[in-house]
Amino acid sequence: MRTLKNIFFTLFLLAVLTPFLILGYFLTSQEYDISSLIDYKPDITTRFYDKNGEKIANIFEHEHRYYAHFNEIPPRVIEALLAIEDTTFFEHRGINLDAIFRAVIKDIKARKLVEGASTITQQLVKNRLLSREKKLSRKIKEVVYALKLERALTKEQILERYLNEIYYGHGYYGIKTAAEGYFHKKLDDLTLKEMALLVGLPKAPSTYAPTKNYDISMGRANRVVSRMYALGWIDKDTYNKALLEKPKVYDDTLTQNSAPFIVDEVLRRVADMGIKDIKTGGYEIYTTIDMRLQEAAKESLKTAYDMSLERIKTYNSYNEPQNDINSSLLNGALVSLDSKSGDILALVGSVDYKKSSYNRATQGRRQPGSAFKPFIYQVAIDLGYSGATELIDIARTYTYEKDGEELKWQPKNYEKNYKGLITLREALIHSRNLATINLVNDIGLSELLREFKKFGIKNLPPDLSIALGTISLSPLQLAKYYTSFANSGIQVEPHLIRYIEKGRNIIYEKQEKSRFITEPTQAYIMTTILKDVIKRGTGRLANAKGIEVAGKTGTTNNNVDGWFAGYSPTIETVVWFGNDDNTPMYKRETGGRIAGPAFSMYYEKLIQLYPQIQREFKAPEGIMEVNINGKKEYFSDISKPPRAEAEVNAEEKLLF
């Protein structure tokens, strides 16, 4: 009998001591590194915003997570979490022995692991430090880690890490991410039912995800609310109201990328800044983009593109199949700036990002053709020419040598005629090539190239082809140079990023750069001419009802490129169309015809969105308005009016 008692006592003692012996073995046999939870730096999603604070996109590497500091987390969220997961969280030291013994008994009865009895601390350890395999050794490690973690961190720090680390379904990591994703709300704006739904998710994120199983997720949320009521943490009215609530749940894409061309371009720019952790560092990038104008730009470009396709379709229907025009390579781009600040308000790199993500607005380089002419004419105006100055519009033959061979160049006007004498204003309005070439000759090519240095334009051709815009530029580069016309003679550097924050610290802020090009009076004289380009010249299809606009068309040889570059009193826009392989477009697709309508539609949408915007150009001080032969002309102290002819004697007139 005594022997039996001894055996029983020994077995009992072993049963009591064994867990501690096993725990001791695990504690001493290996190191338990909890540094990744002590110095907790999870991957955090970077967010993009437009100029009005509207979110444009999220980008992340593997885990989509917004970080919530403990002081951002409402107390009700903590209560709801503890009610369903770990009621004694603030009392235990990492493990709940009572819960463990209850779980062991259930596991023994079932002969398998059916209940875990994990505390919030253990769940955090399991998610961050351990694999998901169900083994006794892993469970023991979980306990050891939890005990160590409770000694190293406060309860509040553990809760902060838990609520940011745990997966909430639908690709959302962390409760802040889930709140914004499922409900489009900040944590402070959540209702009790929404909080209950979120804290109930980690148990089985796929099963309880409200985007997949709404009713099941509501049932789980109701159990959380019921538990809070049973614990006396909420009153009956709050309990009943929460049970009846049916929150609206959103099923969004994780990236929520509403402006992919903007995101791609920003990523290129931040890479140049040396930021290497852009997808995991939790940056907040505030761009200059206005999403309403971005949509207007996208719609305007696509409509103009569709109009061109319709013209091509009509042409093909009247011609033999072998003469059909291939429209599959046609594409376009649009960039719009605030003329004064250089802030990029809209940037569209193709007519359809899904079909082509190549950003023609920033990466493409094409010849601007006649859209480049205003720079030549601005130099002339700065040298004292005026809109009334007469230019020679006649054909000339130029000889030059190439590879030891003498060649001839015979430029022509687009209309294949010439006027003889034509005013500078009319020459630019009607984009006369011959008058422009003769103007370059008149100024002197060397003098012109010296004057061009003020614009900062690089790689200019050192010959007369400069008059025909044979330089290669992206739409954004052309837009930068056009700011000197749109911004009263001051060229500004375009900006896409206003500032970048990380952890509430500003790590980048735009620096405004500008350069003086010409006096406001001289820029205004150019504006009056470019207004006429739209009123009665090559840019008539760019006219926008309800707002004054100025600008210039550009069409390169054989209709390879079609441009319109112009501006209103405050906003400048450049539109480009062409085939991606540099082949000619449909022969009737000039810059005015294909790009002009996109420009016009964009500005008409602009004044619908912002009816208070400045709509009329204002003449600066020093501008003189003179009536010449029934037409208004504008002069300044630099571009002086022509001298009045001396009075002619009547008899001399008769003799003549």
Side-chain angles (χ1 to χ4, degrees):
M1 188 71 177
R2 180 176 291 178
T3 303
L4 279 173
K5 283 183 178 179
N6 287 338
I7 292 170
F8 178 78
F9 178 76
T10 302
L11 289 172
F12 176 76
L13 190 63
L14 283 171
V16 171
L17 292 176
T18 296
F20 295 99
L21 292 170
I22 294 171
L23 188 61
Y25 167 77
F26 276 93
L27 276 169
T28 56
S29 66
Q30 55 190 289
E31 291 184 9
Y32 291 86
D33 183 11
I34 58 172
S35 60
S36 66
L37 279 171
I38 302 300
D39 185 22
Y40 183 57
K41 293 179 180 177
D43 288 354
I44 305 174
T45 295
T46 287
R47 285 175 277 186
F48 294 73
Y49 302 94
D50 82 344
K51 64 176 294 188
N52 300 310
E54 179 184 336
K55 189 166 72 174
I56 293 175
N58 303 309
I59 61 162
F60 51 90
E61 192 76 65
H62 302 296
E63 297 179 353
H64 174 30
R65 175 185 290 108
Y66 304 143
Y67 196 88
H69 295 276
F70 188 76
N71 59 8
E72 293 179 63
I73 301 166
R76 277 286 192 216
V77 167
I78 304 296
E79 291 175 357
L81 172 65
L82 301 190
I84 198 67
E85 291 292 343
D86 191 354
T87 311
T88 61
F89 173 74
F90 280 102
E91 298 163 20
H92 63 65
R93 294 187 178 180
I95 58 173
N96 186 332
L97 291 175
D98 291 342
I100 288 173
F101 282 120
R102 284 197 302 271
V104 167
I105 292 169
K106 286 185 180 181
D107 292 344
I108 290 171
K109 286 181 179 179
R111 296 184 180 182
K112 61 180 180 178
L113 291 172
V114 295
E115 187 167 321
S118 294
T119 63
I120 285 173
T121 311
Q122 288 173 270
Q123 290 179 45
L124 174 60
V125 163
K126 181 169 58 178
N127 275 274
R128 184 72 178 182
L129 304 176
L130 299 172
S131 66
R132 294 189 175 276
E133 58 181 350
K134 288 192 173 184
K135 288 184 178 180
L136 181 61
S137 60
R138 194 222 61 169
K139 193 67 180 176
I140 295 169
K141 289 177 185 177
E142 182 185 299
V143 170
V144 175
Y145 273 123
L147 292 170
K148 286 194 72 174
L149 196 62
E150 288 271 348
R151 291 199 299 270
L153 297 176
T154 66
K155 291 288 187 179
E156 289 77 11
Q157 288 172 323
I158 291 170
L159 284 171
E160 180 179 314
R161 285 155 176 73
Y162 174 89
L163 288 167
N164 282 290
E165 179 67 25
I166 298 298
Y167 181 59
Y168 287 83
H170 200 74
Y172 300 141
Y173 287 83
I175 196 165
K176 186 175 182 177
T177 324
E180 186 170 316
Y182 287 128
F183 306 120
H184 289 186
K185 288 184 177 181
K186 295 179 180 178
L187 289 170
D188 283 340
D189 298 327
L190 294 173
T191 65
L192 177 60
K193 185 65 163 285
E194 290 164 345
M195 294 177 189
L197 189 152
L198 293 179
V199 300
L201 280 169
K203 186 175 180 66
S206 295
T207 302
Y208 294 132
T211 50
K212 293 181 179 178
N213 302 305
Y214 186 84
D215 290 339
I216 294 174
S217 70
M218 289 302 111
R220 172 71 171 166
N222 286 341
R223 285 195 291 279
V224 174
V225 172
S226 297
R227 176 67 175 156
M228 293 178 76
Y229 178 62
L231 290 168
W233 293 356
I234 57 173
D235 59 32
K236 192 166 187 177
D237 287 343
T238 305
Y239 166 70
N240 288 331
K241 183 181 177 183
L243 289 182
L244 293 172
E245 184 189 344
K246 291 187 177 295
K248 181 179 179 180
V249 173
Y250 295 87
D251 189 2
D252 291 335
T253 60
L254 298 186
T255 59
Q256 296 179 345
N257 193 342
S258 56
F261 280 116
I262 306 305
V263 173
D264 290 353
E265 185 62 26
V266 168
L267 290 178
R268 279 190 285 272
R269 295 186 181 210
V270 297
D272 291 339
M273 295 177 194
I275 298 175
K276 300 185 185 299
D277 62 338
I278 192 65
K279 291 186 177 182
T280 58
Y283 297 90
E284 295 197 273
I285 300 175
Y286 294 84
T287 72
T288 60
I289 293 297
D290 183 318
M291 278 306 297
R292 287 180 286 184
L293 293 182
Q294 178 73 9
E295 287 302 310
K298 190 165 67 172
E299 290 169 13
S300 300
L301 191 73
K302 181 64 166 60
T303 303
Y305 170 80
D306 290 340
M307 289 164 63
S308 178
L309 293 188
E310 195 60 37
R311 289 191 291 272
I312 294 170
K313 182 180 176 183
T314 302
Y315 172 85
N316 287 343
S317 68
Y318 285 102
N319 288 274
E320 296 296 325
Q322 63 268 24
N323 296 323
D324 282 359
I325 295 167
N326 180 7
S327 60
S328 63
L329 293 169
L330 181 66
N331 222 308
L334 186 154
V335 59
S336 186
L337 312 178
D338 180 306
S339 305
K340 192 170 185 63
S341 66
D343 288 351
I344 300 172
L345 303 173
L347 182 73
V348 184
S350 77
V351 293
D352 188 341
Y353 181 87
K354 291 178 182 177
K355 292 181 180 178
S356 175
S357 60
Y358 178 66
N359 193 332
R360 293 152 186 82
T362 60
Q363 297 174 293
R365 299 289 186 277
R366 303 291 282 254
Q367 291 185 7
S370 294
F372 189 75
K373 286 177 181 172
F375 299 104
I376 297 169
Y377 282 74
Q378 186 69 65
V379 169
I381 291 169
D382 294 347
L383 292 173
Y385 289 63
S386 73
T389 303
E390 290 189 326
L391 306 179
I392 300 169
D393 184 48
I394 60 172
R396 287 181 178 175
T397 299
Y398 299 90
T399 58
Y400 64 98
E401 192 175 297
K402 184 177 181 181
D403 299 328
E405 183 182 356
E406 188 177 279
L407 300 173
K408 292 182 179 181
W409 181 46
Q410 293 178 307
K412 296 177 182 178
N413 285 324
Y414 183 80
E415 297 88 344
K416 298 188 172 60
N417 63 8
Y418 57 90
K419 299 287 186 181
L421 284 177
I422 188 172
T423 65
L424 181 145
R425 177 177 291 272
E426 295 301 314
L428 187 52
I429 286 172
H430 299 289
S431 202
R432 306 291 289 184
N433 291 339
L434 298 176
T436 306
I437 292 167
N438 289 322
L439 174 60
V440 172
N441 263 329
D442 193 21
I443 295 171
L445 183 59
S446 298
E447 174 72 7
L448 181 70
L449 292 171
R450 276 195 300 272
E451 287 292 319
F452 264 148
K453 289 180 180 178
K454 65 186 180 184
F455 289 101
I457 303 172
K458 297 178 181 178
N459 301 317
L460 288 165
D463 54 51
L464 288 177
S465 69
I466 193 173
L468 304 182
T470 55
I471 184 175
S472 291
L473 297 170
S474 71
L476 182 58
Q477 286 175 321
L478 186 61
K480 169 187 171 179
Y481 300 135
Y482 256 72
T483 58
S484 60
F485 310 134
N487 188 36
S488 302
I490 304 296
Q491 183 192 102
V492 292
E493 188 73 28
H495 298 282
L496 183 58
I497 303 169
R498 290 166 56 221
Y499 60 96
I500 300 175
E501 280 187 347
K502 183 178 183 180
R504 300 173 186 174
N505 295 318
I506 294 177
I507 64 165
Y508 167 83
E509 194 165 11
K510 75 169 186 177
Q511 299 294 319
E512 294 192 358
K513 294 180 183 178
S514 63
R515 65 164 74 195
F516 175 84
I517 303 296
T518 188
E519 297 293 339
T521 53
Q522 306 311 102
Y524 183 76
I525 290 171
M526 174 56 68
T527 293
T528 67
I529 298 172
L530 296 181
K531 279 169 62 180
D532 280 348
V533 170
I534 292 174
K535 285 179 182 177
R536 54 189 180 85
T538 58
R540 287 187 292 273
L541 291 177
N543 194 34
K545 293 178 182 177
I547 187 168
E548 281 193 327
V549 284
K552 184 69 185 74
T553 56
T555 310
T556 55
N557 285 345
N558 300 317
N559 303 74
V560 170
D561 300 282
W563 296 79
F564 194 86
Y567 50 95
S568 69
T570 57
I571 293 177
E572 180 209 318
T573 304
V574 172
V575 182
W576 167 86
F577 277 99
N579 289 338
D580 281 335
D581 64 349
N582 276 301
T583 56
M585 298 183 289
Y586 173 37
K587 62 183 179 181
R588 294 185 180 176
E589 297 300 74
T590 62
R593 192 171 197 194
I594 192 169
F599 180 91
S600 172
M601 287 182 281
Y602 176 69
Y603 277 88
E604 288 180 358
K605 292 176 191 295
L606 167 69
I607 59 175
Q608 289 174 10
L609 292 167
Y610 298 103
Q612 77 283 4
I613 199 166
Q614 184 182 336
R615 300 196 187 196
E616 294 182 354
F617 293 103
K618 295 178 181 177
E621 288 186 17
I623 283 290
M624 293 173 274
E625 186 179 306
V626 179
N627 197 309
I628 298 178
N629 298 325
K631 293 181 180 178
K632 289 180 181 178
E633 194 51 79
Y634 300 86
F635 302 95
S636 68
D637 288 341
I638 298 171
S639 298
K640 296 178 180 179
R643 291 179 181 177
E645 292 184 13
E647 256 188 56
V648 180
N649 184 289
E651 288 185 13
E652 288 179 335
K653 189 173 182 181
L654 287 171
L655 286 170
F656 180 77

